[in-house]
Amino acid sequence: MSTTPRVVVIGAGIVGANLADELTARGWTDVTVLDQGPLPLAGGSTSHAPGLVFQTNASRTMSAFATYTVEKFLDLEVDGAACFDQVGGLEVATTPERLADLHRKQGWATARGIPARVVDVDECVRLHPLVDRERVLGGLHTPTDGLAKAARAVTALRRRATARGAAFRGSTRVTGISTHDGRVTGVQTDQGEVAADVVVSCAGFWGQAIGDMVGMRVPLLPLAHQYVVTDQVPDLVGRKDEHVEAQLPILRHQDHDLYYREHHDRIGIGSYAHRPMPVSLAELPEVDDVSAARQPSMLPFTEEDFAPSWEQSRLLLPSLRDSKIDTGFNGVFSFTPDGGPLIGESADVAGFWIAEAVWVTHSAGVARSVAQLLVDGRSELDLHGCSVHRFEEFQTDDDYVAQTSAQNFVEIYDIVHPLQPRLAPRDVRVSPFHARQVELGAVFLESHGWERPHWYEANAPLVADLPPEWTPPPRDAWSGAFHSPVAAVEAWRTRTAVAMYDMTPLTRVEVSGPGAVTFLDRLTTGKMDTSVGTVKYTLMLDEAGGIRSDLTVARLGPELFQVGANGPLDVHHLQREAAGRDDVTVRETTGGTCCVGVWGPLARDLVAPLTALDLSHEGLKYFRCVQGRIAGVPVTAMRLSYVGELGWEIYTTAEYGQRLWDALWRAGQPLGVVAAGRAAFNSLRLEKGYRSWGADMTTEHDPYEAGLGFAVRPDTKGDFVGRAALAARADRDVARSLTCLTVDDPGDIVLGHEPVLVDGVPAGYVTSAAFGYTVGRPVAYAWLPAGLAVGTAVEISYFGRPIRATVAAEPLVDPEMTRIRR
């Protein structure tokens, strides 16, 4: 009899079947998979999925998911029939902008070990003879991409999982989730209850309805997506092997939001070019009578929506001019506010998990990570961009989900700049300083709903005053988008005078109670039992020593701490760890508070006359905090500096925010104060070597690799999460390290995610990059083999163009830390 947990998986499609396979392969054999539709064709998105697997993605994690899907499906078969046709993938460009973007994607692929190359027109036509050579400028060929036979793969996975002990039950409708004392105990169905210790919803676009059963908001939107199959295409008739369904590479024509695949002597065409078509679950047909041609996920075809796409298809593939559309449907699948999948456990009901908004492309990879979370307690891949808890509460609102998910559908094949802000909704969250920022001509970008100034047009006249050594070189069109030379002014004034930064969007959490010290001590790498007024930079690790987050923790009282965190994931983790304890309270305070960073060599001259607080170096040392009043406003001042200059993060409650800003602004006028934005901020922090969690390091990295070993203090405290894992590897040299690079030519700008080559061989990738205004050249951080000597020459591939760079000692600015400690 199995001693492993009883697991019920809801949904027998490609995700649920993969999860059953991954769990049983790890010894969790008491697995029951339920589906409301008949098996094997249950009627969800898997049943009609075209099965295209393109591995290259802007997200490293999503690429890894897809690569694992390819590897796994290549080894699957059903009665001798393969579950994956590795025909390769070809993305064609019909505009210069798209061709340039294909070079960028080729860089992503190179950085991730995916074989891909940009090919010319002749090679495009050789690979896919149906393509009109007069229409294309080139393409990106990835030979290991291909076609997943989704329905066949589900059969193979189901057979394998069943042989290990799993049970699959079709035509079984889930009607509720049973719970007791905040934990799942079973799944209610129209055929009785199934006992469970763990429930995982893999219900696809029905995921919202399943989440509602436990009060969990699942932020996804079911949308219809058009797919047609032509009749016979003359150029595909009479091929040598009639049993091969596809020989040509899968094809994407992203300039017109289209993709193509073979169906023997016919062509399947998918379109994202039409209007978003939200789908109401209440309007879907029943699942009782499912066939290949009739499924609840296949809605009637709206021919008028496809007409423009048909014309574009006949232009790209002239052979279609002698064909017509044979069948078509509007297939239902899931979109989310940021386009990523939804993975995680309910915040309120232990044991209830979801794995939703997952396409066939990423299905095996997602299932592996979920199985690792359940069995091992962590995923080997970083999942911060996939967690259902990555969203702020307002981002799970139905209207927000509908608006943003529909926009993601529209933009799915668009060329999106990494700084490109969301167009709508905007002005969701603004700091108390917003009115003053607007007056100063702030150019806002958006993050988690916050309007964050990137630079201020009020500083534009100062560009003419920049000293020659501070004047940045011209930029190319791509790196110049969402950029202004005004950022150089703001960096210059921060280094030479004083600047004010709005730090309000940074997440703040209050941890209080008699158990607060021991609670934080267990979760972090630093010693928390210190004197009131101490501020610590510390890390939260997972059990394997991976960096879950980095935090600043300020002790404001014997039982009161303020935690500077990285977003909703940290809030969720802290609250989850505190659940059930009566000696600790965890409360997010971001919305009710605000923060101004006042930094620069003249910062003390600005702030000191406004307060009775002793802000001298002796009175308030670096990494200390004090509470008092500035210009009559009650504040907490923390002597921290993320830009590497003298100054403070000054916090107050939201109602005093504008008064605080105005008082500081008036006092700073004789000193040449400027308001400064995120562009200058990012430049300055990279010059100081300060890491950004989620960009520079994640759970995939440990502190020693990331250059943060100084934040781990096992000799000064007891046990903490991750301690044992770090101790086990203490004697082993790290194989990779986060490395500082400076670009040799000041005019060569990189933005991040580019591959880095050492001795001509791909060796790593850029994490963060910005122009370093103080050092007069671009700065990049990259994961590279450990031990590269300072001065080592490397090469960064930027849109296919080699850019020379050099390994540099960090920090680049003020390594003695004298500017901060004065």
Side-chain angles (χ1 to χ4, degrees):
M1 183 175 178
S2 172
T3 59
T4 61
R6 299 165 298 177
V7 181
V8 174
V9 178
I10 301 173
I14 195 69
V15 182
N18 261 302
L19 180 56
D21 178 66
E22 295 286 339
L23 286 173
T24 55
R26 288 165 171 78
W28 281 26
T29 55
D30 193 347
V31 177
T32 303
V33 184
L34 307 176
D35 202 296
Q36 62 182 341
L39 301 181
L41 201 65
S45 298
T46 301
S47 304
H48 67 252
L52 281 69
V53 180
F54 279 91
Q55 299 168 82
T56 305
N57 190 286
S59 160
R60 294 185 59 82
T61 297
M62 298 298 279
S63 284
F65 285 159
T67 296
Y68 181 69
T69 300
V70 169
E71 295 168 354
K72 183 174 182 176
F73 285 13
L74 277 170
D75 289 336
L76 290 179
E77 62 175 35
V78 175
D79 303 328
C83 292
F84 191 80
D85 288 340
Q86 200 162 45
V87 294
L90 179 65
E91 301 178 48
V92 293
T94 60
T95 64
E97 293 79 12
R98 181 68 63 179
L99 185 59
D101 193 58
L102 295 184
H103 280 284
R104 181 171 68 126
K105 287 184 175 180
Q106 191 270 336
W108 295 345
T110 298
R112 295 159 198 177
I114 300 169
R117 61 193 180 99
V118 176
V119 298
D120 62 16
V121 174
D122 289 342
E123 183 67 0
C124 286
V125 175
R126 188 192 71 78
L127 290 165
H128 202 301
L130 272 60
V131 169
D132 183 354
R133 69 168 48 251
E134 301 301 322
R135 296 279 171 186
V136 300
L137 302 177
L140 178 67
H141 180 229
T142 309
T144 54
D145 288 345
L147 290 166
K149 308 297 183 65
R152 188 181 298 166
V154 166
T155 297
L157 294 164
R158 189 172 67 248
R159 288 180 180 179
R160 197 157 72 179
T162 300
R164 301 187 189 116
F168 285 75
R169 292 169 49 180
S171 302
T172 304
R173 187 184 300 275
V174 172
T175 58
I177 308 295
S178 299
T179 64
H180 179 71
D181 287 339
R183 171 170 285 279
V184 296
T185 59
V187 176
Q188 303 161 21
T189 78
D190 57 0
Q191 298 179 29
E193 183 162 334
V194 183
D197 304 302
V198 176
V199 175
V200 187
S201 176
C202 305
F205 57 80
W206 282 288
Q208 277 186 317
I210 301 298
D212 287 344
M213 294 178 182
V214 295
M216 181 180 185
R217 296 190 68 85
V218 179
L220 64 80
L221 178 71
L223 283 165
H225 159 60
Q226 292 198 299
Y227 191 79
V228 307
V229 178
T230 69
D231 63 1
Q232 282 190 329
V233 177
D235 289 342
L236 296 180
V237 175
R239 296 184 303 176
K240 293 181 182 179
D241 189 346
E242 297 178 355
H243 301 290
V244 176
E245 184 177 359
Q247 294 175 315
L248 299 176
I250 50 179
L251 180 67
R252 285 205 284 193
H253 181 23
Q254 293 176 298
D255 287 321
H256 286 281
D257 300 309
L258 294 164
Y259 65 81
Y260 307 88
R261 58 152 295 177
E262 283 180 90
H263 293 280
H264 296 293
D265 56 3
R266 301 161 187 257
I267 292 289
I269 308 172
S271 172
Y272 296 100
H274 54 80
R275 60 191 168 90
M277 303 179 194
V279 175
S280 168
L281 297 184
E283 297 172 2
L284 293 179
E286 293 295 324
V287 298
D288 302 328
D289 181 21
V290 173
S291 66
R294 185 182 185 279
Q295 301 170 20
S297 58
M298 295 173 64
L299 303 182
F301 183 59
T302 50
E303 186 175 357
E304 65 278 8
D305 289 304
F306 193 76
S309 294
W310 179 237
E311 289 306 311
Q312 290 299 330
S313 296
R314 297 170 83 186
L315 291 172
L316 181 70
L317 307 176
S319 295
L320 297 183
R321 295 170 188 168
D322 297 321
S323 303
K324 65 179 186 297
I325 297 172
D326 184 39
T327 61
F329 63 92
N330 293 357
V332 184
F333 65 157
S334 305
F335 269 76
T336 61
D338 61 4
L342 304 172
I343 299 171
E345 186 180 15
S346 164
D348 303 310
V349 179
F352 181 86
W353 292 72
I354 68 168
E356 307 289 19
V358 181
W359 298 358
V360 171
T361 307
H362 310 108
S363 57
V366 167
R368 178 180 63 170
S369 284
V370 174
Q372 289 173 344
L373 287 170
L374 292 173
V375 178
D376 305 324
R378 75 184 298 269
S379 163
E380 66 185 72
L381 294 176
D382 163 48
L383 299 181
H384 84 272
C386 307
S387 171
V388 68
H389 304 296
R390 67 188 181 269
F391 299 108
E392 301 283 354
E393 184 177 1
F394 77 91
Q395 293 178 299
T396 66
D397 177 76
D398 288 344
D399 288 341
Y400 183 92
V401 172
Q403 185 174 4
T404 54
S405 299
Q407 189 61 31
N408 284 330
F409 178 93
V410 171
E411 296 177 350
I412 188 168
Y413 278 172
D414 288 359
I415 300 171
V416 179
H417 193 278
L419 293 177
Q420 186 169 316
R422 186 183 301 280
L423 296 178
R426 293 296 296 267
D427 294 328
V428 177
R429 308 171 85 185
V430 297
S431 82
F433 320 134
H434 186 258
R436 298 297 184 253
Q437 293 165 347
V438 170
E439 292 170 1
L440 293 170
V443 175
F444 294 101
L445 301 188
E446 181 268 352
S447 178
H448 286 282
W450 284 106
E451 296 296 323
R452 304 199 303 181
H454 209 50
W455 69 83
Y456 292 83
E457 285 299 327
N459 297 326
L462 298 176
V463 172
D465 298 333
L466 279 170
E469 65 272 19
W470 282 87
T471 303
R475 294 192 174 210
D476 65 275
W478 183 255
S479 66
F482 307 103
H483 167 76
S484 169
V486 171
V489 168
E490 295 170 6
W492 171 52
R493 283 296 180 89
T494 306
R495 289 276 190 245
T496 61
V498 63
M500 291 167 51
Y501 290 81
D502 181 2
M503 306 301 290
T504 300
L506 300 183
T507 301
R508 291 173 290 285
V509 181
E510 181 184 275
V511 178
S512 61
V517 172
T518 56
F519 173 76
L520 289 170
D521 218 40
R522 187 182 71 84
L523 293 180
T524 66
T525 60
K527 183 176 176 60
M528 294 294 112
D529 192 7
T530 56
S531 61
V532 173
T534 299
V535 184
K536 290 277 189 178
Y537 174 81
T538 189
L539 306 175
M540 284 198 300
L541 307 179
D542 63 19
E543 292 288 356
I547 303 173
R548 182 186 288 275
S549 187
D550 64 340
L551 311 171
T552 55
V553 181
R555 190 167 194 179
L556 304 182
E559 298 181 356
L560 177 63
F561 293 83
Q562 178 175 305
V563 177
N566 280 302
L569 286 175
D570 290 347
V571 178
H572 167 74
H573 180 63
L574 291 169
Q575 290 178 338
R576 189 62 182 262
E577 290 292 320
R581 297 184 55 152
D582 58 9
D583 62 343
V584 175
T585 300
V586 174
R587 182 174 69 95
E588 184 181 359
T589 60
T590 311
T593 55
C594 58
C595 178
V596 185
V598 182
W599 292 307
L602 302 183
R604 189 173 284 121
D605 298 315
L606 190 158
V607 181
L610 301 177
T611 181
L613 294 171
D614 183 357
L615 298 183
S616 68
H617 179 64
E618 294 73 20
L620 186 62
K621 293 185 179 296
Y622 192 51
F623 267 86
R624 297 285 297 178
C625 67
V626 65
Q627 294 179 304
R629 294 180 180 272
I630 293 177
V633 174
V635 301
T636 299
M638 298 187 192
R639 187 147 176 220
L640 307 177
S641 177
Y642 206 50
V643 299
E645 295 293 332
L646 169 68
W648 305 269
E649 293 178 357
I650 304 174
Y651 297 88
T652 189
T653 50
E655 74 267 31
Y656 296 119
Q658 185 166 295
R659 178 179 176 84
L660 176 64
W661 178 279
D662 287 346
L664 294 169
W665 185 254
R666 283 193 301 270
Q669 293 310 300
L671 304 172
V673 69
V674 297
R678 298 294 297 186
F681 182 86
N682 286 330
S683 170
L684 297 170
R685 70 101 178 165
L686 282 174
E687 291 181 330
K688 284 297 296 179
Y690 294 150
R691 278 62 166 147
S692 175
W693 188 87
D696 297 318
M697 72 280 191
T698 67
T699 53
E700 294 182 19
H701 312 104
D702 73 37
Y704 306 117
E705 295 172 323
L708 297 175
F710 66 87
V712 182
R713 300 294 177 88
D715 54 333
T716 63
K717 60 182 293 183
D719 193 24
F720 58 88
V721 175
R723 177 177 181 142
L726 293 185
R729 72 188 67 166
D731 295 331
R732 191 176 70 216
D733 291 335
V734 298
R736 59 181 177 175
S737 62
L738 191 60
T739 305
C740 179
L741 305 175
T742 56
V743 175
D744 295 357
D745 186 335
D748 287 336
I749 309 295
V750 298
L751 298 180
H753 300 287
E754 298 89 355
V756 182
L757 289 73
V758 179
D759 296 328
V761 178
Y765 61 94
V766 173
T767 59
S768 297
F771 190 87
Y773 297 105
T774 316
V775 298
R777 62 185 61 248
V779 179
Y781 272 77
W783 280 105
L784 291 172
L788 293 179
V790 171
T792 299
V794 301
E795 189 177 276
I796 302 172
S797 179
Y798 178 73
F799 285 86
R801 180 171 64 88
I803 288 178
R804 292 179 300 174
T806 302
V807 174
E810 60 170 335
L812 297 171
V813 171
D814 191 26
E816 297 82 14
M817 302 287 283
T818 57
R819 300 176 70 89
I820 292 176
R821 294 188 171 99
R822 58 178 165 186

